[in-house]
Amino acid sequence: MEYKNLIVEIKDGIALVKLNRPKALNALNSEMLEEIKHAGDALNANKDVRVVIITGEGDKAFIAGADILEMKDLTAIGGMKFSLKGFEAIGTLENMEKPVIAAVNGFALGGGFEVAIACDIIYASDKAKVGFPETTLGIHPGFGGTQRTAKLVGLAKAKELIFTGKTITAQEAYKMGLINKVVPHDQLMGEVMALAEKIKANGPFAVRLAKECINKSLSLDNKEGLIFEAKNFGLCFATKDQKEGMTAFVEKRKPTYKGE
Ligand code: CAA
């Protein structure tokens, strides 16, 4: 598929997905959401890809939210369909079998911040500003923000952010635990690439199964979660990666993983 709103580059096992509507600060319209879902599915199926990075094209925004022009005249059913389209696109990223890193290079607002918090790890530029301004527009977050934020920062902080619609700095979001790391703007992509390389060097199957366990911890009770972990831990021993990792340790060399 040829994308109109995304640029996808794959190099040495790392896929870089750039959201590409810079004139509209990469606002998410229906077409872009469909393309994100398509690209997410394709990258998930591509065995050569071990880590995915998402960032915004241009110097100003990661994503400034869902497209307000497209939403302005929606009916109730239209609003629900638009939300579900976001749910599908963002769910594809969240459930991808490989790690997804958000490189937040500027504004990540509303639906844009909802994309970021569905990724596994967020690194942000020190110039980035994030938040959920939806209530200032007479709506509330519709791409998962009301559900994911409280799990990340607790009910009270999630409610304060969403009820006020205030925009906060990357540093404030870091202090709240919403962002993993804040880096100087011009070093963002270098730091994110270094992170991707570090993850890429580890057993792909183990990283994939760990992601599945960690995501499951949000919906399973403790006992079910621990049983799920035991099952995935056992599965690691069915892989060549585990043999390679432990043999390399014994032979005092670096392992070479093939994701098998
Ligand atoms: N939708 C559509 N277009 C958008 C947009 C959005 N979310 N955000 C920015 N744009 C467009 C602007 O309309 C403008 O287009 P024109 O040049 O054609 O006028 C262009 O991008 C540049 O934006 P600004 O001139 O406004 O740039 P700025 O630097 O003055 O301000 C900003 C930047 C503070 C991010 C401001 O653009 C803004 O407040 N954007 C809207 C943010 C927002 O409310 N996001 C939440 C959307 S609702 C949502 O996401 C719902 C959901 O959960 C699913």
Side-chain angles (χ1 to χ4, degrees):
M1 181 176 179
E2 203 162 304
Y3 301 122
K4 287 191 191 150
N5 307 282
L6 300 182
I7 301 168
V8 180
E9 294 160 0
I10 301 173
K11 199 176 163 212
D12 298 333
I14 298 174
L16 180 63
V17 178
K18 286 187 188 165
L19 303 142
N20 186 30
R21 288 184 76 207
K23 282 186 184 153
L25 304 187
N26 304 320
L28 297 160
N29 59 17
S30 290
E31 191 178 54
M32 197 180 202
L33 290 170
E34 281 160 20
E35 291 183 4
I36 290 172
K37 173 157 177 39
H38 186 278
D41 286 339
L43 294 173
N44 204 30
N46 186 337
K47 289 206 165 53
D48 295 333
V49 173
R50 297 221 182 144
V51 181
V52 176
I53 298 168
I54 299 189
T55 195
E57 180 63 15
D59 212 30
K60 205 168 163 184
F62 175 70
I63 306 170
D67 191 319
I68 297 169
L69 300 186
E70 181 173 339
M71 287 184 293
K72 187 175 154 291
D73 296 319
L74 286 181
T75 60
I77 295 292
M80 192 176 83
K81 282 188 176 166
F82 190 59
S83 174
L84 290 173
K85 210 175 261 265
F87 165 81
E88 282 201 5
I90 293 172
T92 304
L93 302 179
E94 185 172 46
N95 297 316
M96 210 182 266
E97 291 171 359
K98 33 205 109 185
V100 183
I101 305 167
V104 173
N105 57 314
F107 289 111
L109 299 175
F113 197 39
E114 291 170 284
V115 169
I117 63 171
C119 295
D120 299 307
I121 297 174
I122 306 177
Y123 275 22
S125 147
D126 56 359
K127 287 187 183 167
K129 296 220 166 89
V130 308
F132 297 111
E134 284 94 338
T135 53
T136 71
L137 296 164
I139 57 171
H140 65 63
F143 290 170
T146 65
Q147 302 304 298
R148 291 191 181 96
T149 313
K151 287 173 184 145
L152 292 167
V153 296
L155 292 175
K157 283 183 180 159
K159 285 174 181 168
E160 185 184 352
L161 269 181
I162 291 171
F163 294 174
T164 62
K166 69 179 174 184
T167 296
I168 59 173
T169 61
Q171 194 59 35
E172 286 171 299
Y174 168 75
K175 283 189 193 147
M176 288 172 77
L178 277 165
I179 285 178
N180 292 72
K181 191 171 182 182
V182 183
V183 294
H185 187 71
D186 57 357
Q187 291 168 28
L188 178 64
M189 289 319 292
E191 290 253 3
V192 168
M193 278 297 172
L195 172 69
E197 288 291 349
K198 190 159 179 48
I199 295 171
K200 199 184 88 178
N202 295 332
F205 235 96
V207 172
R208 169 184 161 184
L209 294 175
K211 173 171 172 173
E212 197 183 22
C213 288
I214 296 165
N215 282 356
K216 282 274 181 200
S217 74
L218 295 174
S219 58
L220 297 181
D221 71 28
N222 199 39
K223 189 176 169 201
E224 287 169 331
L226 291 170
I227 290 168
F228 193 87
E229 184 188 77
K231 179 186 74 80
N232 273 13
F233 184 71
L235 271 181
C236 292
F237 291 83
T239 66
K240 289 184 184 160
D241 286 351
Q242 176 268 332
K243 305 286 176 267
E244 167 62 8
M246 294 196 179
T247 305
F249 177 82
V250 172
E251 294 175 356
K252 301 191 186 304
R253 62 172 173 82
K254 277 195 172 175
T256 307
Y257 293 114
K258 293 187 177 153
E260 294 172 359

